[in-house]
Amino acid sequence: MPRSSLRTHVPRTLTAVLVATATLATPAVAAPAQPQTTAPTSRINWSACSDTEFQGMQCGTLRVPVDYAHPRAGSLSLALVRRPADDQPHRQGTLLLNDGAGGSSIEQLRLAMRIGFPSFAGAMSRNFDLVAVDPRGVGHSTPIRCTTPLKPAAVTHFPRNRQQFDALVAHNRAFAQRCLSENGPLVAHVDLTSTARDFEAVRTGLGEKQLNWYGIHYSTLLGRTYADLYPGRLRTMVLDTALDDTTTPTERIRREAATAEEAFNRFSAWCAATADCALHGKDAAAEYDALVARADRTPIPTADGPALNGEDIRTATQDYLTLSGVTWPALAQAVVKAKAGDASDFTDEPDDTLDPVQVQVPACLDSPRPATTFDQLTRLRNDLARISPHLGGAVRSWTALTGCLGWPVPARPIAAGTPVHGAPPALIVQSTRQALAPHSAGFAMAAQLPGSVVLSREGDDYSMFLLSQCVRDATNRYLTSRRLPAPGTTCTD
């Protein structure tokens, strides 16, 4: 589907499913049974999906160990949905679809089906079985559910004194302990390595010698981890919006903050130039800053939840900057609505497939904690205020740091940066400008996967297969023939 068509069709459809609240249909699979104590097998139990949006597809479950070091100590259920290749006689294997951390790949597949994905996917859906797997702790797989609020109104992730810092640490510790008591050892085993091992169990259960990998954002790290643990098990790897975890943890936060701030500035410039922006004719950045300052003085009410302060609004903004044709207009409308006295749109995750708790818990296992004292956090916060004057550094990696202070389970970050032997040369698709990851992150990932190529795409978006015919053509050529584009290629559609 050409971009001109997407700009008229996709925004209408995606706005409804990404920005509106609770629009997702009945879950595709039943709730999993309680973990069993017998040793799990690698057999996937398939049945026809009862969900009308997955008509003609298969829904499956697979039991895997909670703790691979003690495989008989308990198991959890992984949920899968498989869409068979349209051209079975020329089928080339299975392509795993992977969303980011805390995101349901099954629900992402649902959204893709709603915008007519098979009609424009080409060889991806014609030649490959598409399998969406919800990672452990997420979505329709055995989920992590915690009844304690992730961040109550009395707690700040930007503490300005030791009392606020101590309150944050105490809350995080209590939140984690409650999550552990409600979910058991799963909370300590949703790290990248455990999740990657699940995908090897999926490969075995599918009966495939090799898999094909399509990962977005966090799942670019997951794909690299899987390739490192299981050399030769991947035939192809498509990595969309790669992350860079080869730098120091503080530098990673600084770069993400700078990237999101630059995206906000482009949003503001778009508003100045585009009549479709609800803030057109005004200084969008000044309007936003005034809204944040007002909310810090007097929190702004929402329809169904607590009032929001400026920190809440800034924290919600990054994900509104990821799709210029869809979420930028929604951000402008959210600002106008909040200025009128209703901040509800800043409580809605633009991507309904994400669960904030299921994002935060893995982050506490996978993310190093470079700042553990109030003084260390203050120095980093002051850096971010200079780098990011509008958003103030309220980005995902900052929340991953501050939300894990006091966490009782130690972090187990992956050692990144060295070449991964046994991985296929990957196609890494990276926007030249993006709110979630800098363009340079694609090249940092490519350096770890010998022979890989970064396909740049001019623009501000992620999930680029849906938006760019150039990206679709390059992706399908790679998936079917394993031919990569020439280094330095840029898509401009």
Side-chain angles (χ1 to χ4, degrees):
M1 185 182 290
R3 188 177 180 87
S4 59
S5 233
L6 279 164
R7 284 300 183 196
T8 56
H9 176 66
V10 171
R12 288 198 302 268
T13 307
L14 285 187
T15 299
V17 294
L18 294 180
V19 180
T21 59
T23 60
L24 298 178
T26 305
V29 291
Q34 291 300 309
Q36 59 190 27
T37 57
T38 58
T41 67
S42 291
R43 177 174 173 269
I44 301 174
N45 295 311
W46 293 107
S47 61
C49 294
S50 58
D51 193 314
T52 56
E53 291 188 286
F54 293 142
Q55 187 175 5
M57 302 186 198
Q58 296 169 301
C59 289
T61 56
L62 171 67
R63 298 207 73 84
V64 295
V66 171
D67 181 358
Y68 278 90
H70 302 92
R72 294 184 179 274
S75 66
L76 60 92
S77 179
L78 298 179
L80 309 85
V81 172
R82 177 165 63 184
R83 182 187 185 277
D86 292 327
D87 187 358
Q88 284 292 317
H90 298 96
R91 176 185 176 275
Q92 291 185 265
T94 292
L95 177 65
L96 292 182
L97 305 177
N98 299 275
D99 194 22
S104 167
S105 300
I106 290 173
E107 295 304 333
Q108 282 288 326
L109 177 60
R110 186 195 305 279
L111 297 186
M113 297 302 295
R114 287 181 181 177
I115 62 169
F117 168 71
S119 67
F120 61 84
M124 180 183 284
S125 58
R126 183 177 63 249
N127 292 37
F128 295 88
D129 292 348
L130 304 180
V131 175
V133 185
D134 278 359
R136 55 173 51 212
V138 171
H140 302 293
S141 294
T142 301
I144 291 175
R145 305 288 189 199
C146 306
T147 55
T148 300
L150 188 59
K151 191 188 83 65
V155 170
T156 175
H157 282 165
F158 292 84
R160 295 192 171 276
N161 55 55
R162 292 185 185 276
Q163 182 179 5
Q164 290 181 335
F165 178 82
D166 291 343
L168 171 63
V169 172
H171 168 73
N172 290 344
R173 186 177 295 115
F175 173 82
Q177 295 290 2
R178 186 59 182 263
C179 282
L180 284 163
S181 68
E182 292 175 339
N183 298 275
L186 176 60
V187 169
H189 295 284
V190 287
D191 55 291
L192 277 169
T193 299
S194 297
T195 304
R197 287 175 174 157
D198 289 345
F199 282 92
E200 177 63 2
V202 169
R203 183 196 65 79
T204 302
L206 291 169
E208 298 279 11
K209 182 179 179 180
Q210 290 184 310
L211 294 170
N212 300 277
W213 187 277
Y214 193 105
I216 298 177
H217 195 244
Y218 169 88
S219 287
T220 64
L221 304 181
L222 181 60
R224 182 206 58 198
T225 303
Y226 177 82
D228 193 30
L229 287 173
Y230 301 101
R233 297 302 192 191
L234 290 179
R235 174 182 169 272
T236 60
M237 293 179 73
V238 180
L239 305 179
D240 181 325
T241 312
L243 299 180
D244 179 10
D245 58 351
T246 64
T247 60
T248 66
T250 51
E251 181 60 20
R252 186 176 175 182
I253 295 172
R254 291 187 186 97
R255 290 184 184 184
E256 184 181 353
T259 296
E261 185 73 13
E262 290 164 5
F264 179 84
N265 291 336
R266 291 192 299 276
F267 157 76
S268 300
W270 170 81
C271 276
T274 308
D276 290 342
C277 176
L279 293 169
H280 183 64
K282 301 178 181 179
D283 183 332
E287 294 288 308
Y288 179 86
D289 290 345
L291 173 66
V292 168
R294 169 186 161 189
D296 276 333
R297 293 190 301 272
T298 305
I300 299 174
T302 62
D304 300 314
L308 303 187
N309 61 24
E311 177 183 333
D312 299 324
I313 291 171
R314 288 189 290 113
T315 300
T317 300
Q318 183 185 17
D319 285 343
Y320 269 116
L321 297 170
T322 56
L323 288 166
S324 58
V326 179
T327 55
W328 285 14
L331 173 58
Q333 292 167 356
V335 171
V336 170
K337 185 174 176 179
K339 288 179 69 68
D342 182 359
S344 298
D345 287 357
F346 286 104
T347 66
D348 298 337
E349 169 58 59
D351 184 348
D352 275 333
T353 68
L354 290 175
D355 181 295
V357 168
Q358 293 167 7
V359 172
Q360 184 65 38
V361 174
C364 292
L365 301 179
D366 293 328
S367 303
R369 299 170 199 170
T372 57
T373 69
F374 172 67
D375 290 340
Q376 291 171 334
L377 199 67
T378 298
R379 285 194 292 271
L380 182 55
R381 189 198 69 218
N382 290 339
D383 281 350
L384 298 183
R386 290 192 299 273
I387 293 168
S388 178
H390 297 295
L391 301 186
V395 292
R396 291 185 182 186
S397 55
W398 173 262
T399 303
L401 167 62
T402 55
C404 299
L405 293 171
W407 199 262
V409 181
R412 297 190 292 272
I414 296 291
T418 57
V420 176
H421 300 291
L427 174 63
I428 301 167
V429 186
Q430 202 81 3
S431 283
T432 55
R433 304 179 300 276
Q434 230 294 302
L436 295 174
H439 188 224
S440 61
F443 296 92
M445 179 62 77
Q448 300 170 73
L449 302 169
S452 297
V453 167
V454 176
L455 174 64
S456 300
R457 194 257 177 167
E458 186 70 29
D460 297 86
D461 306 319
Y462 80 120
S463 196
M464 286 163 277
F465 187 87
L466 297 179
L467 298 171
S468 165
Q469 184 65 52
C470 173
V471 170
R472 282 194 293 278
D473 290 344
T475 299
N476 283 328
R477 185 182 310 113
Y478 169 68
L479 289 173
T480 54
S481 68
R482 290 186 279 191
R483 286 191 295 123
L484 289 163
T489 301
T490 299
C491 290
T492 57
D493 63 340

